Amino acid sequence: MSYLDKLNPTQRSAVECTEGPLMIIAGAGSGKTRVITYRIAHLINKGVDPFNILALTFTNKAAREMRERISAIVGPDARNIWMGTFHSIFARILRVEADKLGYPSNFTIYDTDDSKSLLRAIIKEQQLDDKLYNVNFVLNRISSAKNNLISVAEYKKNETIQADDFSSGRGKMGELYEIYAQRCYKAGAMDFDDLLFKTNILLKQYPDVLNKYQHKFKYIMVDEYQDTNFSQYIIVKKLAAVNRNICVVGDDAQSIYAFRGANIENILNFEKDYPELNVFKLEQNYRSTQNIVNIANSIIKNNTNQLEKNVFSENETGEKIKVIRAFSDNEEGKIVAESILQERTIKNLDYHGFAILYRTNAQSRSLEEALRKLNVPYKIYGGMSFYQRKEIKDLIAYFRLTVNPNDEEALKRVINYPVRGIGKTSLDKIIVLADEKNLPLWEIVSNIHLYVSGRGVENIMNFATMIRSFQALAKNNTAYDVAEHIAKQSGILRDLHADKSIEGLSRYENIQELLNGIKEFSEREDIEDRSISQFLMDVALLTGDEKSEEEEKNTVSLMTIHSSKGLEFPHVYIVGLEENLFPSQMSLNSRQDLEEERRLFYVATTRAEKKLTLTYATSRFKFGTLNNSEPSRFLDEIDPKFLDLDFNPAKQQKESSLSVDFGDERKGFTEFASKPKITAKVKTTQLLAKAHIPTEGFAPSDTSDLQVGMEVEHERFGFGKVINLEGKKPDIKATIFFKELGQKQLLLKFAKLRIVS
């Protein structure tokens, strides 16, 4: 067991603790993956059958990497571990048990585009306003319900939910959820949320099935446990109930997916479910310099809702964290681009060692423009993936229809592509007939002569005959043989080959690349099922980390901070550190949301290995208008001894010459600069004023009767006392002395003050 010698004492203790419930709190860069893989390998070396081990991850990339590492220790037995994403593992179980829920074993898995397409059709059929019932909003609402295990029936009878829908003018949400669920069921399809939702139903309604998998999975490991939602939590808890050999690994400080339904309470309260819990804390960061780890610690310590740990690094001290102020977002982009070019040239570095992280996708514009002007190559991480391209989705729709002819979205997509004389009018008639008779579309299409006569019937009959021929071929042939045949016989290859434009050639090459990938799949030695059905399941369950066919190139990576989780780069730039941007404006009225924003900043800083640069702009374009910006409160939370400032901060109030009178704005972090020859006197405040967290449930008061002497609270400036009022309504100005920031003058109609007393 020489592999154990590669672990530090805490890591080794966690690996060797194989029995009973275990929580491994893994700080950023602390060797989490190594501990998980070695622990599974250790279980196998102790005699545990790999078939009895369940390992759940959030990406296929993570699962594949872990399996490869385990294989290096235990050999081919690693292929027998039940290891994969939550969705892939439970889709596998549902394939076996689907008949109990009334689904075919070859059910289709709808991706987001399929779900949106179906919902658009339903919204149109119900003659609802598609602006009020925006398809993204409706899908998110249904997704949230499923992730909280709220069925259609429960949704429609829940008074709180119904009141919320009606108050927003969306009283038909329950009906949309119901119709959507019915249509998915009729099409033999599940969306991504269903893979968890239906698994919960399966385990709840069929005790024999629950018992079967409880005894099968004797050892359970869950990676990134802080990212689990309620649905995932319940499944894992049920499966672990018999043996209680459950190990969860995660870091509450990196819980950043509440908007997807992730519940940080799952990891914070894990001990309540397992009082006999063993806890190990992986606190040594092997990734980053000491300075980077130190500023990350100084940020996250401001959160109250967290598990205590002391992350440290024994790497080199490293450079101080550079903080750069720009006058505008365009200048910010220029400064960052020039910095990358300079670093790369002086130190002879590769571009792929640089990453620029931002809070919102919209921020990439100024950065892209600046990089292009300097001919710095870059890529947007998380752009359109290979499997989302139209030509790829078209051919895959044929595959889906071959495997599951009741797949409504696939049928609608390809019934007249390539063009075969089945127009929209004909398709609409088929949809109406299917609705009236409560039958799948395929039932009408495959027996069209029984329902419709006249023009176009022959074209529909020919289409149905072609699909049946594909189905017959799929029964006894590999995925590649079937795919190649469908690509030719459907007319897709011919149609794309006839398009001699650059775009047409690119689409044709993409189809060939897809076929190449299917050929590789069909020749794999580590799988038994090489059918087109299994290929479709693998594709449907690909996570975002695998969907791009682009190879790693020597380019600067641009991405949102959410997309950066799990990645690391030698040089990282975090841009846009401004109030109302990072932290986002929506997070400022809730302690819980603000703490998640702070965790997001923590995640961003810990992506850096050697050098970290923070930037902000004093003005930024928003909706075509240039607005003044304030430095982020997160900058104030960093211990200044770890920072390298490109300006002289105001450590106490002092007079300074500026281009604009910023009036009552928070100066907190920096001394501002000016264009030449235009001056105005303003006061700047202490650099490291403590950031104010609004009172829980903060809401502005009616200040029409505000009086001198009253105590008030401002959501950013904190608590203060009114010392003067001047002017007439509605333009009354209040002079307020704030405990942390000193005296400020605010225009009442914009101040959003809460009257304390």
Side-chain angles (χ1 to χ4, degrees):
M1 297 186 182
S2 59
Y3 58 89
L4 294 176
D5 296 334
K6 299 177 182 178
L7 303 169
N8 69 34
T10 307
Q11 291 174 333
R12 180 163 183 160
S13 296
V15 166
E16 292 180 321
C17 182
T18 58
E19 305 304 308
L22 172 67
M23 179 164 66
I24 301 173
I25 303 170
S30 62
K32 168 178 69 78
T33 302
R34 171 175 286 191
V35 171
I36 296 172
T37 53
Y38 281 24
R39 189 172 185 273
I40 294 173
H42 193 61
L43 284 169
I44 295 171
N45 281 338
K46 285 183 63 179
V48 175
D49 190 327
F51 283 107
N52 297 138
I53 299 174
L54 172 64
L56 297 166
T57 67
F58 275 84
T59 66
N60 288 310
K61 181 180 178 182
R64 186 175 60 247
E65 180 183 347
M66 289 180 193
R67 196 184 297 275
E68 288 171 355
R69 291 196 193 186
I70 296 166
S71 295
I73 300 173
V74 304
D77 277 351
R79 71 177 59 170
N80 297 325
I81 303 165
W82 279 64
M83 175 178 282
T85 64
F86 278 88
H87 292 91
S88 65
I89 291 295
F90 298 129
R92 184 176 169 185
I93 290 174
L94 286 169
R95 291 283 183 205
V96 177
E97 314 290 349
D99 61 308
K100 295 179 177 62
L101 300 175
Y103 282 83
S105 61
N106 61 344
F107 62 83
T108 296
I109 300 173
Y110 278 177
D111 65 12
T112 302
D113 284 351
D114 297 319
S115 295
K116 287 181 179 179
S117 176
L118 177 54
L119 280 170
R120 283 192 194 97
I122 295 170
I123 291 166
K124 185 177 180 181
E125 290 164 14
Q126 297 300 305
Q127 299 181 332
L128 297 173
D129 182 352
D130 61 3
K131 292 184 176 62
L132 182 61
Y133 289 91
N134 175 275
V135 70
N136 292 315
F137 175 88
V138 174
L139 183 58
N140 288 338
R141 188 77 169 165
I142 293 172
S143 174
S144 179
K146 289 180 180 178
N147 285 330
N148 285 287
L149 303 183
I150 299 171
S151 67
V152 169
E154 290 166 330
Y155 188 100
K156 294 179 76 173
K157 71 181 182 184
N158 186 295
E159 293 181 2
T160 303
I161 292 174
Q162 291 303 301
D164 188 41
D165 283 345
F166 277 95
S167 66
S168 67
R170 300 184 180 93
K172 295 286 186 181
M173 265 302 313
E175 289 180 39
L176 290 180
Y177 183 9
E178 183 173 32
I179 297 169
Y180 174 75
Q182 290 171 346
R183 292 278 279 274
C184 286
Y185 181 76
K186 190 167 72 171
M190 296 187 195
D191 63 21
F192 252 50
D193 297 312
D194 280 328
L195 297 177
L196 302 178
F197 184 66
K198 301 294 184 185
T199 298
N200 270 294
I201 292 174
L202 182 71
L203 300 181
K204 182 178 181 180
Q205 294 183 356
Y206 295 89
D208 57 324
V209 175
L210 174 59
N211 184 63
K212 170 184 171 182
Y213 290 103
Q214 282 176 332
H215 286 85
K216 177 178 181 60
F217 300 133
K218 296 178 180 177
Y219 293 86
I220 298 174
M221 291 197 69
V222 185
D223 188 19
E224 304 286 11
Y225 190 67
Q226 77 280 350
D227 293 335
T228 53
N229 60 29
F230 180 66
S231 181
Q232 292 162 331
Y233 162 77
I234 292 295
I235 293 173
V236 170
K237 187 178 179 182
K238 284 183 177 178
L239 291 177
V242 170
N243 294 295
R244 297 179 76 82
N245 290 324
I246 177 171
C247 171
V248 301
V249 186
D251 181 7
D252 59 295
Q254 298 187 65
S255 179
I256 59 173
Y257 295 119
F259 68 96
R260 293 182 189 169
N263 186 356
I264 191 174
E265 299 300 324
N266 291 349
I267 192 167
L268 294 178
N269 297 327
F270 190 67
E271 191 169 2
K272 291 182 180 178
D273 290 330
Y274 304 94
E276 73 275 34
L277 181 69
N278 281 302
V279 179
F280 293 94
K281 298 179 181 180
L282 308 183
E283 297 174 309
Q284 183 171 354
N285 181 305
Y286 292 93
R287 174 190 301 155
S288 307
T289 64
Q290 292 180 33
N291 269 329
I292 292 171
V293 170
N294 287 336
I295 77 145
N297 286 341
S298 70
I299 293 161
I300 203 63
K301 73 179 182 182
N302 290 278
N303 274 6
T304 57
N305 202 18
Q306 61 178 304
L307 298 169
E308 185 181 344
K309 58 185 170 295
N310 180 34
V311 179
F312 66 94
S313 173
E314 293 182 354
N315 295 337
E316 62 181 343
T317 303
E319 297 182 41
K320 287 188 174 184
I321 284 64
K322 192 170 185 65
V323 181
I324 297 175
R325 177 198 58 208
F327 297 133
S328 68
D329 48 348
N330 287 330
E331 189 190 43
E332 180 184 50
K334 180 183 177 184
I335 290 171
V336 170
E338 289 175 346
S339 172
I340 290 173
L341 189 61
Q342 183 178 10
E343 284 281 322
R344 188 239 181 193
T345 303
I346 293 174
K347 299 179 181 177
N348 194 27
L349 303 172
D350 291 327
Y351 280 123
H352 63 66
F354 294 87
I356 306 174
L357 310 183
Y358 36 78
R359 181 64 181 83
T360 66
N361 278 307
Q363 290 171 255
S364 73
R365 179 198 59 80
S366 57
L367 297 162
E368 290 186 71
E369 288 180 5
L371 292 168
R372 281 198 297 267
K373 285 178 181 176
L374 294 179
N375 293 317
V376 174
Y378 68 89
K379 66 176 180 180
I380 301 289
Y381 189 92
M384 179 177 283
S385 75
F386 181 74
Y387 287 98
Q388 291 300 314
R389 294 173 183 176
K390 179 186 180 300
E391 62 275 12
I392 301 302
K393 288 182 76 73
D394 288 338
L395 184 52
I396 285 180
Y398 272 105
F399 300 163
R400 283 168 43 179
L401 199 56
T402 299
V403 170
N404 174 18
N406 289 335
D407 187 336
E408 180 178 321
E409 291 306 305
L411 189 148
K412 289 191 293 187
R413 187 178 187 99
V414 300
I415 193 170
N416 197 41
Y417 177 74
V419 175
R420 52 176 60 90
I422 306 173
K424 184 178 183 301
T425 302
S426 297
L427 181 56
D428 287 345
K429 285 180 181 177
I430 293 170
I431 292 172
V432 170
L433 274 168
D435 224 20
E436 288 176 351
K437 298 181 181 299
N438 195 28
L439 293 171
L441 293 185
W442 174 251
E443 191 66 31
I444 305 295
V445 168
S446 60
N447 297 288
I448 191 67
H449 61 286
L450 299 177
Y451 302 101
V452 179
S453 60
R455 189 176 171 186
V457 169
E458 187 177 350
N459 293 333
I460 297 172
M461 290 174 63
N462 290 339
F463 173 76
T465 300
M466 178 179 67
I467 298 300
R468 287 196 194 96
S469 73
F470 295 164
Q471 291 172 323
L473 184 71
K475 289 179 180 177
N476 300 304
N477 288 276
T478 66
Y480 177 71
D481 292 335
V482 175
E484 185 184 39
H485 179 81
I486 292 175
K488 292 176 179 176
Q489 295 305 311
S490 66
I492 285 183
L493 276 180
R494 183 173 60 251
D495 187 70
L496 293 178
H497 190 264
D499 184 352
K500 300 302 181 183
S501 67
I502 294 174
E503 293 80 8
L505 176 62
S506 175
R507 288 193 288 268
Y508 182 80
E509 290 174 346
N510 286 339
I511 291 292
Q512 294 294 348
E513 182 60 33
L514 174 63
L515 293 175
N516 291 340
I518 298 174
K519 188 172 181 63
E520 289 178 15
F521 168 84
S522 299
E523 294 174 353
R524 280 173 56 182
E525 296 180 358
D526 61 331
I527 58 172
E528 294 181 11
D529 187 354
R530 299 182 179 87
S531 67
I532 194 70
S533 175
Q534 183 61 42
F535 172 77
L536 283 175
M537 179 173 164
D538 285 5
V539 168
L541 294 168
L542 286 179
T543 48
D545 59 309
E546 281 197 300
K547 286 189 174 179
S548 175
E549 88 290 4
E550 295 289 334
E551 294 181 1
E552 284 297 317
K553 295 178 181 177
N554 191 20
T555 56
V556 175
S557 294
L558 274 67
M559 67 190 78
T560 64
I561 300 168
H562 281 101
S563 297
S564 75
K565 189 165 179 292
L567 303 176
E568 53 191 55
F569 302 89
H571 299 258
V572 170
Y573 294 79
I574 305 173
V575 301
L577 276 159
E578 298 141 36
E579 286 290 296
N580 299 319
L581 179 57
F582 196 18
S584 71
Q585 187 171 12
M586 291 187 296
S587 72
L588 297 179
N589 289 329
S590 160
R591 180 188 295 271
Q592 186 177 356
D593 290 344
L594 185 58
E595 292 206 347
E596 173 139 338
E597 288 287 296
R598 191 175 285 111
R599 292 195 295 270
L600 191 59
F601 187 30
Y602 175 85
V603 166
T605 60
T606 55
R607 299 310 94 198
E609 297 172 348
K610 295 185 178 300
K611 186 170 182 178
L612 175 63
T613 303
L614 311 176
T615 73
Y616 69 94
T618 58
S619 63
R620 185 172 296 272
F621 273 99
K622 187 175 183 181
F623 305 121
T625 303
L626 187 65
N627 297 293
N628 293 329
S629 305
E630 303 173 26
S632 170
R633 68 187 64 202
F634 295 155
L635 291 169
D636 286 340
E637 295 174 356
I638 301 173
D639 191 325
K641 68 185 178 186
F642 303 126
L643 300 178
D644 173 16
L645 308 176
D646 73 335
F647 50 87
N648 295 319
K651 296 199 174 179
Q652 54 190 349
Q653 292 197 355
K654 66 178 185 177
E655 296 293 324
S656 117
S657 198
L658 301 183
S659 60
V660 183
D661 183 351
F662 287 89
D664 60 293
E665 290 190 349
R666 170 178 170 270
K667 306 304 180 297
F669 184 68
T670 179
E671 170 185 82
F672 295 89
S674 66
K675 295 178 182 178
K677 300 181 182 178
I678 304 177
T679 62
K681 288 187 177 182
V682 298
K683 292 184 177 180
T684 58
T685 59
Q686 188 172 349
L687 170 64
L688 296 175
K690 185 178 179 182
H692 176 67
I693 298 174
T695 301
E696 193 71 38
F698 178 93
S701 303
D702 177 4
T703 55
S704 57
D705 293 319
L706 190 71
Q707 296 176 24
V708 172
M710 283 186 170
E711 297 276 345
V712 295
E713 180 186 14
H714 187 278
E715 63 179 354
R716 294 200 304 277
F717 304 153
F719 293 97
K721 177 180 274 190
V722 180
I723 59 176
N724 188 43
L725 293 168
E726 61 182 80
K728 296 180 180 180
K729 293 181 180 180
D731 298 313
I732 296 176
K733 291 182 180 180
T735 303
I736 302 172
F737 186 86
F738 290 97
K739 295 177 182 177
E740 294 290 340
L741 298 174
Q743 186 172 305
K744 285 187 173 292
Q745 192 175 67
L746 308 176
L747 199 58
L748 278 187
K749 64 183 179 182
F750 297 129
K752 296 181 179 179
L753 298 171
R754 183 179 75 87
I755 297 175
V756 178
S757 63

